Amino acid sequence: MTEPSLAVIGAGPAGLAAALAAAARGIRVTLIDSAAEAGGQFYRQPAPGLGARRPQALHHQWRTWERLRDGLRAHVQAGTVRHMTDHHVWFVERRDTAGFAVHALVGPEQEQPAEVRAAAVLLATGGYEKVLPFPGWTLPGVVTAGGAQAMLKGGLVLPGRTAVVAGTGPLLLPVATGLAAAGATVAALVDSADPKSFVRRSRTLAGRPGKVAEGAQYAGQLLRHRVRTLLHHTVVAAHGAERLEAVTIAALDRDGRVRQDTRRRLGCDTLAVSHGMLPHTDLADALGCRVDGTDVYVDDEQRTDVPGVWAAGETTGIGGSALSLAEGHIAGRSVAARLAGRAPDPGEWAAAARTRAGLRAFFAAVDSVYVPPAHWAEQVTDGTVVCRCEEVSAGAVREAVRELGAGDLRTVKLLTRAGMGWCQGRVCGPGVAGVAGCAETAGRRPFARPVPLGVLARAGETEEQ
Amino acid sequence: MNPLELVGAEPGPPFTVTLDGREMEALPGQTVAAALWTAGITSWRTTRGEGRPRGIFCGIGVCFDCLVTVNDRPNQRACLMPLRPGDAIRTQEGTGHDD
Ligand SMILES: Cc1cc2nc3c(=O)[nH]c(=O)nc-3n(C[C@H](O)[C@H](O)[C@H](O)COP(=O)(O)OP(=O)(O)OC[C@H]3O[C@@H](n4cnc5c(N)ncnc54)[C@H](O)[C@@H]3O)c2cc1C
Ligand code: FES
């Protein structure tokens, strides 16, 4: 018998913390990630060829990253962790006797298959950004806030010179300060949240002095870069012919409706926009794990309801890197104990559990504050494309609801093709639901990545051996 | 200040790639998208239906807005694809399959 093995999918804060915790306790870990470097979204690194001597200038909590990076290096050298970069996992297959087979595609072309066997699997695939549609949101120059950040941290590039950062959520702060530090003029940070809501939730804030300090730090940086912050405002439309030239913003009234008399135009060539984040749940879905709303369900040990499958980080609910680290750490320890045939002692991870509880409460409060304006869908004109891949307009979605009687997302999809394109509804799901006025349901996708048919056929062959 | 200055970058020597046959420079490690942004280009394909321009949207491989043809292979995600010397990037119309 070989030592018990764990496949960790995702090398962000959650996957790294879990891999280190499990490997330190005698588990053989394979860490699989689609990126060329470890770090995930928060600790995304510039490509080595760019020779960055001070990458920390674009980062927060660099010391934590150094610990994770050095820990990973030591384990890789000792042969206790195998790090597979550039591997895109498209399916995790449960095998009754032999644990799991993780199927991946190799390299940016994603045509060559690879397979990893493991006794247990940890899903740490993080999340991606949610952007709700508005007129002009398909213009080049309009990017997701995290996408702007990812291109900046990974490629050391900016999309333009003058940016507006807009939408809602805590991610807008690091993005606005990051773009400004890298030399962009940030014309405004526009958040639809109502500042009064923060005051109402001051008890939760008071419990997280670290978070208050973090907020104050960002506020200082915004001031230093002369970034104007407009709260309770929203972007109404983006303008331009072939690329973004300006945005119209407006204040919101108390009900979350645009106040028409406050509309004004801001010139910019970049709009970094975000309305929150959504967890990646495809792999969990395909494994049959319970998904509550948009989040993979886990117990106190970070186990999903499928034996042998753990989940940690933003795939179990959006809550930032510190929460992802705590969850990953707990998951790694739990895996180590369970694979050794023991029930773990939660006392071993009491500190991480306290961090987890505190941050989950904090982000629950954050979530209730940072909600998109209640009437955002009213700003979406009939001509606005809502499904970017299939170019389905809001008018077509409304027609499917009004004239053809579609009452749920699936029927809207069948009637309009919204959600049937390359991205499989990941981007348009919330927007289409909002415009159609129906409930946002978790999209069930058989595969986490598009798979060439040849690879699919060969993956079936190995099963029969 | 620019992003390279901010992090004290000392990139390896730039190399040449082509965009629709015209030569342009790229830095080692940069993706197709990063090199195009450096060159001031933010759109490099048109949509199948309405022929609208598109470039980067999500920046992390989720949205498929950034599709481009690299070395005659259409529909590659520019935000994920690292460039190598001599690569031929072609802007893409529709499916990129000359149909
Ligand atoms: C684009 C973007 C930028 C962000 N920038 C910031 C920021 O600057 N500051 C901040 O506070 N928060 C940022 N966030 C929030 C961030 O998600 C969390 O703070 C934190 O990184 C979550 O950690 P995680 O380990 O759960 O997931 P992640 O860090 O997202 O790591 C998940 C990893 O899994 C990999 N992965 C996903 N699916 C697969 C698959 N099928 N096969 C193989 N690998 C896969 C990904 O490549 C990634 O490396 C950003 C989020 C996004 C989407
Ligand atoms: S920008 Fe979204 S996939 Fe490349």
Side-chain angles (χ1 to χ4, degrees):
Chain A
M1 261 262 317
T2 52
E3 325 94 279
S5 61
L6 167 70
V8 175
I9 305 168
L16 282 170
L20 297 185
R25 287 163 186 79
I27 305 295
R28 196 159 43 85
V29 177
T30 308
L31 178 62
I32 311 164
D33 194 285
S34 52
E37 309 272 326
Q41 303 305 351
F42 190 78
Y43 291 115
R44 185 179 285 272
Q45 302 299 312
L50 290 166
R53 283 174 299 143
R54 291 189 308 274
Q56 60 270 40
L58 279 169
H59 279 271
H60 301 272
Q61 282 122 42
W62 188 253
R63 289 266 300 285
T64 308
W65 163 246
E66 287 178 324
R67 274 201 297 277
L68 293 170
R69 179 195 64 191
D70 296 347
L72 176 64
R73 237 177 239 165
H75 276 293
V76 168
Q77 266 160 21
T80 37
V81 174
R82 182 160 61 125
H83 183 194
M84 300 172 87
T85 58
D86 260 328
H87 278 63
H88 301 250
V89 177
W90 56 273
F91 195 65
V92 181
E93 186 189 341
R94 200 167 152 204
R95 302 237 166 124
D96 285 345
T97 47
F100 300 86
V102 178
H103 297 280
L105 294 164
V106 186
E109 291 92 0
Q110 298 185 33
E111 282 177 352
Q112 285 309 310
E115 194 184 307
V116 172
R117 304 288 180 90
V121 171
L122 173 83
L123 306 173
T125 47
Y128 61 98
E129 257 168 311
K130 173 165 105 180
V131 177
L132 299 170
F134 51 88
W137 75 310
T138 53
L139 275 174
V142 180
V143 295
T144 67
Q149 184 86 333
M151 291 286 291
L152 178 55
K153 283 181 177 174
L156 304 179
V157 285
L158 292 171
R161 306 167 90 79
T162 309
V164 169
V165 178
T168 190
L171 188 56
L172 300 184
L173 287 166
V175 173
T177 53
L179 292 174
T185 303
V186 179
L189 190 162
V190 180
D191 196 318
S192 61
D194 180 351
K196 283 194 232 67
S197 320
F198 293 100
V199 184
R200 265 186 256 129
R201 287 191 173 68
S202 55
R203 291 245 321 274
T204 324
L205 273 179
R208 309 287 330 159
K211 285 287 165 194
V212 175
E214 203 179 305
Q217 206 185 348
Y218 283 127
Q221 288 175 24
L222 291 174
L223 210 61
R224 188 145 27 90
H225 292 294
R226 298 174 201 283
V227 176
R228 198 164 26 139
T229 305
L230 295 160
L231 295 169
H232 220 207
H233 276 64
T234 192
V235 168
V236 178
H239 314 280
E242 293 299 297
R243 66 156 300 159
L244 181 72
E245 287 156 20
V247 296
T248 296
I249 63 167
L252 293 160
D253 69 14
R254 239 189 292 144
D255 300 326
R257 279 200 176 83
V258 165
R259 287 175 48 194
Q260 298 299 339
D261 55 328
T262 63
R263 291 163 73 106
R264 72 185 132 134
R265 220 172 147 105
L266 295 178
C268 59
D269 56 16
T270 302
L271 173 63
V273 61
S274 171
H275 296 110
M277 297 253 308
L278 289 166
H280 273 299
T281 54
D282 314 316
L283 296 173
D285 252 336
L287 275 162
C289 301
R290 182 173 135 200
V291 177
D292 288 344
T294 58
D295 308 341
V296 176
Y297 159 85
V298 285
D299 66 9
D300 284 349
E301 284 177 39
Q302 301 293 137
R303 289 181 299 180
T304 71
D305 64 340
V306 171
V309 181
W310 279 254
E314 295 204 313
T315 190
T316 72
I318 301 306
S321 64
L323 178 56
S324 298
L325 284 169
E327 290 190 355
H329 183 75
I330 294 169
R333 282 172 168 259
S334 163
V335 169
R338 295 283 171 191
L339 285 188
R342 289 187 286 113
D345 167 15
E348 281 179 29
W349 62 62
R354 269 197 305 279
T355 304
R356 179 178 64 180
L359 285 172
R360 280 188 184 161
F362 175 76
F363 277 93
V366 163
D367 264 359
S368 63
V369 172
Y370 289 112
V371 283
H375 296 276
W376 66 264
E378 290 169 15
Q379 298 306 314
V380 183
T381 54
D382 278 350
T384 305
V385 164
V386 287
C387 166
R388 301 172 71 97
C389 300
E390 293 292 318
E391 298 182 273
V392 180
S393 69
V397 170
R398 288 179 178 133
E399 188 185 71
V401 173
R402 263 188 232 135
E403 269 139 62
L404 306 171
D408 60 89
L409 262 192
R410 211 182 116 72
T411 314
V412 171
K413 174 172 164 178
L414 293 175
L415 290 170
T416 64
R417 299 193 56 82
M420 282 194 194
W422 279 96
C423 90
Q424 286 290 290
R426 286 176 182 85
V427 177
C428 68
V432 172
V435 167
C438 53
E440 204 178 306
T441 42
R444 298 200 84 92
R445 302 174 189 98
F447 306 127
R449 293 282 192 279
V451 192
L453 281 174
V455 171
L456 200 56
R458 268 175 285 162
E461 275 163 26
T462 52
E463 199 171 20
E464 282 154 31
Q465 281 166 9
Chain B
M1 185 70 84
N2 67 42
L4 291 159
E5 276 172 36
L6 176 68
V7 300
E10 289 177 347
F15 53 77
T16 307
V17 296
T18 58
L19 173 65
D20 291 334
R22 281 194 326 271
E23 291 195 345
M24 60 174 262
E25 276 199 345
L27 292 176
Q30 279 187 330
T31 57
V32 173
L36 290 171
W37 272 17
T38 306
I41 299 164
T42 48
S43 84
W44 46 82
R45 75 158 178 123
T46 50
T47 57
R48 260 181 307 154
E50 295 172 25
R52 301 297 302 150
R54 294 281 175 86
I56 287 289
F57 184 58
C58 76
I60 61 165
V62 173
C63 75
F64 294 82
D65 251 27
C66 64
L67 298 178
V68 71
T69 300
V70 182
N71 300 331
D72 292 328
R73 293 158 43 99
N75 298 323
Q76 305 299 305
R77 278 171 283 177
C79 67
L80 300 182
M81 177 75 59
L83 273 174
R84 278 163 301 214
D87 279 349
I89 312 166
R90 279 200 290 127
T91 53
Q92 186 173 313
E93 279 174 38
T95 59
H97 282 110
D98 299 328
D99 51 9

